[in-house]
Amino acid sequence: MLGDRTGAEDAVQDGVAQAWRGVGQFRGDAAFGTWLHRIVVRACLHHLRDRRAPEVIEGLAEAERRFLDPDYTVDPAEVVARASDAGKLRQALETLPDVYRVAVLLHDVDGLTGAEVAETTGVPLGTAKARIRRGRIALLAELARKQTASETEQRTGRPC
Amino acid sequence: MLTLTCAEARSLIFDFLDGELDPATARAVEQHKNSCRNCPPLVTAILAMLAELRRLPGVLPREDWLARLIALPLDPHSPR
């Protein structure tokens, strides 16, 4: 979610500490794990706010417009080749603006429902669903994108 | 029977794959998918991407992470 191990450890530590301090506020409306998960995710979002500038979403809007174009399609083999490599899939996820990456991770990796993503991230259901949808479209476009020679070189090493 | 354009079907595709459409609309998306040239590869790629996301392994913290967490001052009354 944060894209680096140290940031993730700090955020989870903050979340657990906040949960401990606020344990008296746990009312038992949801399972304890769900309550704790929500606090930790919000601590992660707080770290992202601290770390990154406001996102420009124009690129995502463009990806969504292109996705609806009847002439647009992708090569499934290209997508499968990159998505099946966990490292490349993580790199592609890293290209998404934070709120969209978080929505996709919570929904498609952690298996939360749209309503649970909304509740966990503190946004209305419609916003959560739009973020999941736009995040998926942008991720697909990134996985389908033809890599430049320098990107391939960076990842595989320069031939001697 | 409802007939969908590519743009209409694509705007519904994620709800379709998540099983969130009513049966009649889901049938219309399915019918479009079976008769379109460009949408099936897109759907195949989306399904593969979602399957790989479900399989994405978690990242474990470093060995000393738990020890550092336990060492934190966690008194519920202590200031943040």
Side-chain angles (χ1 to χ4, degrees), chain A residues 33-46:
Chain A
T34 305
W35 179 77
L36 179 60
H37 182 250
R38 195 174 302 153
I39 291 172
V40 170
V41 168
R42 288 188 179 179
C44 290
L45 290 171
H46 187 74

Side-chain angles (χ1 to χ4, degrees), chain A residues 3 14 16 21 29 35 37 43-44 53 68 70 73 85 97 106 114 152 159:
Chain A
D14 282 358
V16 171
R21 293 186 184 108
D29 297 339
W35 179 77
H37 182 250
C44 290
L68 296 178
T73 193
D85 179 325
L106 291 175
T152 309

Side-chain angles (χ1 to χ4, degrees), chain A residues 5-6 8-10 12-14 16-18 20-21 23 66-76 79-80 83-87 89-90 93 104-105 107-109 114 129 132-133 135-137 139-140 143, chain B residues 6-8 10-15 17-18 20 36-42 44-46 48-50 52-65 68-69 72-80:
Chain A
R5 184 185 295 266
T6 304
E9 288 175 356
D10 289 350
V12 174
Q13 224 167 50
D14 282 358
V16 171
Q18 281 169 32
W20 175 257
R21 293 186 184 108
V23 75
R66 203 169 54 239
F67 183 79
L68 296 178
D69 181 343
D71 291 330
Y72 174 76
T73 193
V74 297
D75 177 3
V79 172
V80 169
S84 60
D85 179 325
L89 182 54
R90 284 188 200 286
L93 281 162
V104 169
L105 287 173
H107 190 265
D108 294 330
V109 178
K129 291 186 84 167
I132 294 164
R133 171 191 160 74
R136 283 168 159 183
I137 290 172
L139 182 62
L140 180 71
L143 290 169
Chain B
C6 270
E8 289 167 339
R10 290 178 184 200
S11 70
L12 295 167
I13 200 69
F14 291 110
D15 286 338
L17 296 175
D18 290 337
E20 292 182 359
C36 179
R37 182 168 52 94
N38 282 345
C39 287
L42 209 55
T44 303
I46 293 168
M49 176 184 82
L50 296 179
E52 295 301 339
L53 283 169
R54 281 193 293 274
R55 274 198 285 269
L56 192 65
V59 177
L60 293 174
R62 285 171 293 206
E63 277 181 12
D64 64 341
W65 178 82
R68 283 189 281 128
L69 178 66
L72 281 178
L74 291 178
D75 177 355
H77 304 295
S78 69
R80 285 215 58 202

Side-chain angles (χ1 to χ4, degrees), chain B residues 20-33:
Chain B
E20 292 182 359
L21 292 181
D22 64 84
T25 311
R27 271 197 302 277
V29 173
E30 185 71 47
Q31 191 195 34
H32 175 83
K33 191 163 70 72

